[in-house]
Amino acid sequence: MQALTRGEAVEIVERLAAAKSRQDVVATMAVYHPDAVLESPSLGSRYVGAQVEGAITQWFAFAPDYEVRLDGHGLDGETLCCWGEIAFTPAFTFGGAAPNGNRVSVPVFILFRFHDGRVSWESFHFDVAGVARQCGVDVTALVRAS
């Protein structure tokens, strides 16, 4: 199997970012490989295969106006690193605390790997403490217990 070029990898993640910014579950899932792994160490979450669609659906319920902007990319072997910013208005917290209704914006960096021209692994990192401050809740309300 031939590795993706930087341009090919960037095109795939830009399609994913556009689909997620539209909260389009079908288009988002078309970019993920069926055996994909989606993790967010910031939130303490990890989903595999069929679980990914549920995670995406839940994220869109949590962040119904979610937008991601990718400002840069770097390819190291088979891993693409992207950085930019996410913005959204939290609709609820996983811990039950009521967010203040403010739209939040924080830096993000995301690592991707690919298989068959689709995302096979995504590790999504963002400043969860910054989100908590901006939406007026304690960080523990946003992070799932492990």
Side-chain angles (χ1 to χ4, degrees):
M1 184 170 126
Q2 183 177 353
L4 295 174
T5 67
R6 180 181 177 277
E8 291 167 333
V10 168
E11 188 275 328
I12 293 167
V13 299
E14 285 179 347
R15 278 191 293 120
L16 182 62
K20 285 183 174 181
S21 292
R22 292 190 315 270
Q23 293 79 49
D24 185 335
V25 174
V26 173
T28 297
M29 293 311 299
V31 180
Y32 283 112
H33 190 276
D35 298 325
V37 173
L38 171 60
E39 60 187 23
S40 181
S42 306
L43 295 174
S45 63
R46 185 173 195 273
Y47 304 94
V48 179
Q51 297 173 330
V52 172
E53 185 170 355
I56 294 298
T57 301
Q58 185 176 34
W59 178 259
F60 292 160
F62 166 70
D65 60 349
Y66 177 76
E67 293 179 287
V68 58
R69 186 189 74 235
L70 301 177
D71 297 329
H73 315 88
L75 183 64
D76 181 25
E78 295 182 8
T79 302
L80 181 72
C81 179
C82 300
W83 54 91
E85 184 176 83
I86 58 172
F88 59 95
T89 307
F92 58 85
T93 65
F94 300 105
N100 60 17
N102 291 344
R103 185 164 171 85
V104 303
S105 178
V106 294
V108 64
F109 82 89
I110 314 165
L111 302 172
F112 296 96
R113 292 193 187 122
F114 307 90
H115 183 73
D116 293 336
R118 297 167 81 180
V119 172
S120 62
W121 176 75
E122 177 182 345
S123 187
F124 180 79
H125 304 258
F126 67 99
D127 180 4
V128 70
V131 169
R133 272 191 307 281
Q134 291 176 53
C135 73
V137 300
D138 188 89
V139 72
T140 59
L142 297 174
V143 179
R144 296 175 193 257
S146 28

